[in-house]
Short mmCIF file of all heavy atoms in Angstrom, two decimals:
data_model
loop_
_atom_site.label_atom_id
_atom_site.label_comp_id
_atom_site.label_asym_id
_atom_site.label_seq_id
_atom_site.Cartn_x
_atom_site.Cartn_y
_atom_site.Cartn_z
N MET R 1 90.92 92.76 111.68
CA MET R 1 91.63 91.45 111.91
C MET R 1 92.57 91.19 110.78
O MET R 1 92.41 91.40 109.71
CB MET R 1 90.54 90.26 112.03
CG MET R 1 91.15 89.03 112.38
SD MET R 1 90.00 87.81 112.52
CE MET R 1 91.00 86.24 112.76
N SER R 2 93.76 90.72 111.17
CA SER R 2 94.83 90.60 110.25
C SER R 2 94.70 89.26 109.47
O SER R 2 94.15 88.38 109.80
CB SER R 2 96.25 90.33 111.05
OG SER R 2 97.27 89.97 110.15
N ASN R 3 95.03 89.41 108.15
CA ASN R 3 94.91 88.21 107.24
C ASN R 3 96.23 87.45 107.08
O ASN R 3 96.21 86.57 106.37
CB ASN R 3 94.37 88.61 105.87
CG ASN R 3 95.23 89.73 105.24
OD1 ASN R 3 96.43 89.76 105.46
ND2 ASN R 3 94.63 90.65 104.55
N GLY R 4 97.21 88.05 107.77
CA GLY R 4 98.51 87.26 107.87
C GLY R 4 99.42 87.74 106.82
O GLY R 4 100.69 87.30 106.91
N ILE R 5 99.07 88.58 105.78
CA ILE R 5 99.98 89.02 104.80
C ILE R 5 101.25 89.72 105.31
O ILE R 5 102.40 89.43 104.94
CB ILE R 5 99.31 89.89 103.76
CG1 ILE R 5 98.36 89.09 102.93
CG2 ILE R 5 100.32 90.67 102.87
CD1 ILE R 5 97.60 89.95 101.92
N ASN R 6 100.99 90.65 106.33
CA ASN R 6 102.12 91.41 106.72
C ASN R 6 103.06 90.58 107.55
O ASN R 6 104.35 90.70 107.58
CB ASN R 6 101.60 92.50 107.73
CG ASN R 6 102.67 93.63 108.08
OD1 ASN R 6 103.35 94.10 107.16
ND2 ASN R 6 102.88 93.77 109.29
N HIS R 7 102.56 89.53 108.29
CA HIS R 7 103.46 88.70 109.11
C HIS R 7 104.24 87.74 108.14
O HIS R 7 105.45 87.63 108.38
CB HIS R 7 102.66 87.87 110.05
CG HIS R 7 103.31 86.75 110.75
ND1 HIS R 7 104.30 86.93 111.71
CD2 HIS R 7 103.47 85.39 110.42
CE1 HIS R 7 104.79 85.82 112.14
NE2 HIS R 7 104.27 84.76 111.31
N ARG R 8 103.61 87.21 107.16
CA ARG R 8 104.31 86.29 106.26
C ARG R 8 105.33 86.98 105.39
O ARG R 8 106.50 86.49 105.12
CB ARG R 8 103.36 85.53 105.35
CG ARG R 8 102.41 84.57 106.07
CD ARG R 8 101.62 83.65 105.15
NE ARG R 8 100.69 84.46 104.49
CZ ARG R 8 99.29 84.63 105.04
NH1 ARG R 8 99.05 84.15 106.20
NH2 ARG R 8 98.52 85.43 104.30
N GLN R 9 105.01 88.27 104.98
CA GLN R 9 106.00 88.99 104.08
C GLN R 9 107.26 89.41 104.81
O GLN R 9 108.32 89.70 104.27
CB GLN R 9 105.37 90.13 103.41
CG GLN R 9 105.08 91.34 104.41
CD GLN R 9 104.59 92.56 103.58
OE1 GLN R 9 104.66 92.54 102.39
NE2 GLN R 9 104.11 93.57 104.35
N ASN R 10 107.14 89.42 106.26
CA ASN R 10 108.36 89.91 106.95
C ASN R 10 109.01 88.71 107.80
O ASN R 10 109.95 89.09 108.52
CB ASN R 10 107.88 90.94 108.06
CG ASN R 10 107.52 92.30 107.45
OD1 ASN R 10 108.11 92.71 106.44
ND2 ASN R 10 106.42 92.93 107.94
N GLU R 11 108.63 87.53 107.42
CA GLU R 11 109.41 86.42 108.05
C GLU R 11 110.76 86.27 107.34
O GLU R 11 110.95 86.75 106.21
CB GLU R 11 108.57 85.06 107.75
CG GLU R 11 107.26 84.89 108.47
CD GLU R 11 106.55 83.64 108.21
OE1 GLU R 11 107.22 82.75 107.55
OE2 GLU R 11 105.47 83.49 108.76
N ASP R 12 111.73 85.67 108.05
CA ASP R 12 113.02 85.43 107.48
C ASP R 12 113.03 84.86 106.12
O ASP R 12 113.73 85.19 105.22
CB ASP R 12 113.86 84.84 108.45
CG ASP R 12 114.35 85.62 109.65
OD1 ASP R 12 114.25 86.85 109.57
OD2 ASP R 12 114.86 85.06 110.62
N LYS R 13 112.24 83.80 106.04
CA LYS R 13 112.08 83.05 104.79
C LYS R 13 111.78 83.98 103.66
O LYS R 13 112.40 83.92 102.57
CB LYS R 13 111.08 82.03 104.96
CG LYS R 13 110.68 81.23 103.62
CD LYS R 13 109.54 80.26 103.84
CE LYS R 13 109.22 79.56 102.51
NZ LYS R 13 108.07 78.52 102.83
N SER R 14 110.81 84.90 103.88
CA SER R 14 110.30 85.84 102.72
C SER R 14 111.40 86.88 102.53
O SER R 14 111.68 87.16 101.36
CB SER R 14 109.09 86.53 103.23
OG SER R 14 107.98 85.59 103.47
N ILE R 15 112.04 87.36 103.62
CA ILE R 15 113.10 88.37 103.39
C ILE R 15 114.21 87.77 102.49
O ILE R 15 114.98 88.43 101.64
CB ILE R 15 113.51 88.92 104.66
CG1 ILE R 15 112.47 89.63 105.49
CG2 ILE R 15 114.85 89.83 104.61
CD1 ILE R 15 111.97 90.86 104.84
N TYR R 16 114.57 86.54 102.81
CA TYR R 16 115.69 85.92 102.06
C TYR R 16 115.30 85.73 100.51
O TYR R 16 116.11 85.93 99.57
CB TYR R 16 115.99 84.60 102.60
CG TYR R 16 116.79 84.62 103.84
CD1 TYR R 16 116.48 83.95 105.00
CD2 TYR R 16 117.95 85.45 103.92
CE1 TYR R 16 117.20 84.00 106.15
CE2 TYR R 16 118.63 85.49 105.19
CZ TYR R 16 118.22 84.84 106.24
OH TYR R 16 118.93 84.96 107.45
N MET R 17 114.04 85.44 100.33
CA MET R 17 113.59 85.37 98.84
C MET R 17 113.66 86.70 98.12
O MET R 17 114.13 86.78 97.08
CB MET R 17 112.14 84.73 98.91
CG MET R 17 112.07 83.24 99.09
SD MET R 17 110.38 82.54 98.74
CE MET R 17 109.58 82.94 100.21
N LEU R 18 113.26 87.79 98.89
CA LEU R 18 113.32 89.12 98.27
C LEU R 18 114.67 89.51 98.10
O LEU R 18 115.01 90.16 97.07
CB LEU R 18 112.54 90.07 99.25
CG LEU R 18 111.12 90.00 99.34
CD1 LEU R 18 110.54 90.94 100.41
CD2 LEU R 18 110.38 90.28 97.96
N ALA R 19 115.59 89.21 99.03
CA ALA R 19 116.99 89.62 98.91
C ALA R 19 117.65 88.85 97.68
O ALA R 19 118.35 89.44 96.92
CB ALA R 19 117.74 89.12 100.14
N ALA R 20 117.32 87.66 97.49
CA ALA R 20 117.89 86.77 96.44
C ALA R 20 117.37 87.27 95.03
O ALA R 20 118.16 87.47 94.09
CB ALA R 20 117.48 85.33 96.54
N SER R 21 116.05 87.68 95.07
CA SER R 21 115.58 88.20 93.81
C SER R 21 116.11 89.56 93.43
O SER R 21 116.49 89.79 92.22
CB SER R 21 113.99 88.34 93.99
OG SER R 21 113.40 88.89 92.91
N SER R 22 116.20 90.39 94.35
CA SER R 22 116.88 91.70 94.18
C SER R 22 118.25 91.60 93.82
O SER R 22 118.74 92.26 92.84
CB SER R 22 116.81 92.49 95.48
OG SER R 22 115.48 92.74 95.86
N GLN R 23 119.05 90.70 94.20
CA GLN R 23 120.47 90.43 94.03
C GLN R 23 120.63 90.00 92.47
O GLN R 23 121.41 90.53 91.70
CB GLN R 23 121.10 89.44 94.89
CG GLN R 23 122.51 89.09 94.66
CD GLN R 23 123.48 90.30 94.68
OE1 GLN R 23 123.18 91.21 95.50
NE2 GLN R 23 124.50 90.17 93.94
N ILE R 24 119.74 89.00 92.13
CA ILE R 24 119.83 88.65 90.75
C ILE R 24 119.42 89.65 89.79
O ILE R 24 120.03 89.75 88.72
CB ILE R 24 118.88 87.31 90.53
CG1 ILE R 24 119.29 86.08 91.52
CG2 ILE R 24 118.91 86.91 89.15
CD1 ILE R 24 118.49 85.01 91.63
N TYR R 25 118.41 90.33 90.11
CA TYR R 25 118.09 91.53 89.20
C TYR R 25 119.20 92.60 89.05
O TYR R 25 119.40 93.07 88.05
CB TYR R 25 116.68 92.15 89.71
CG TYR R 25 115.46 91.52 89.26
CD1 TYR R 25 114.54 91.21 90.18
CD2 TYR R 25 115.25 91.25 87.89
CE1 TYR R 25 113.26 90.60 89.74
CE2 TYR R 25 114.08 90.66 87.55
CZ TYR R 25 113.15 90.40 88.45
OH TYR R 25 111.89 89.74 88.02
N GLN R 26 119.87 92.78 90.13
CA GLN R 26 120.98 93.70 90.08
C GLN R 26 122.12 93.13 89.20
O GLN R 26 122.70 93.93 88.35
CB GLN R 26 121.58 94.00 91.49
CG GLN R 26 120.67 94.82 92.34
CD GLN R 26 121.21 94.96 93.84
OE1 GLN R 26 122.37 94.63 94.06
NE2 GLN R 26 120.49 95.57 94.77
N GLU R 27 122.42 91.75 89.41
CA GLU R 27 123.37 91.21 88.42
C GLU R 27 122.97 91.35 87.02
O GLU R 27 123.80 91.57 86.10
CB GLU R 27 123.60 89.78 88.91
CG GLU R 27 124.12 89.65 90.22
CD GLU R 27 124.26 88.20 90.68
OE1 GLU R 27 123.90 87.34 89.92
OE2 GLU R 27 124.76 87.90 91.82
N ALA R 28 121.69 91.07 86.75
CA ALA R 28 121.18 91.10 85.39
C ALA R 28 121.21 92.56 84.82
O ALA R 28 121.62 92.81 83.70
CB ALA R 28 119.69 90.74 85.33
#
């Protein structure tokens, strides 16, 4: 039975957070 981790990590909201974090790390 799914605990929801996979669904939540692939939501648009989560993807945008990962994208922003990756972009900032690249700039750093």
Side-chain angles (χ1 to χ4, degrees):
M1 183 176 177
S2 171
N3 57 35
I5 286 179
N6 194 51
H7 173 73
R8 288 189 292 273
Q9 74 172 349
N10 289 322
E11 290 181 6
D12 284 345
K13 172 182 176 179
S14 299
I15 297 298
Y16 286 131
M17 284 190 281
L18 289 174
S21 178
S22 298
Q23 175 65 27
I24 296 171
Y25 274 128
Q26 287 178 7
E27 292 174 0

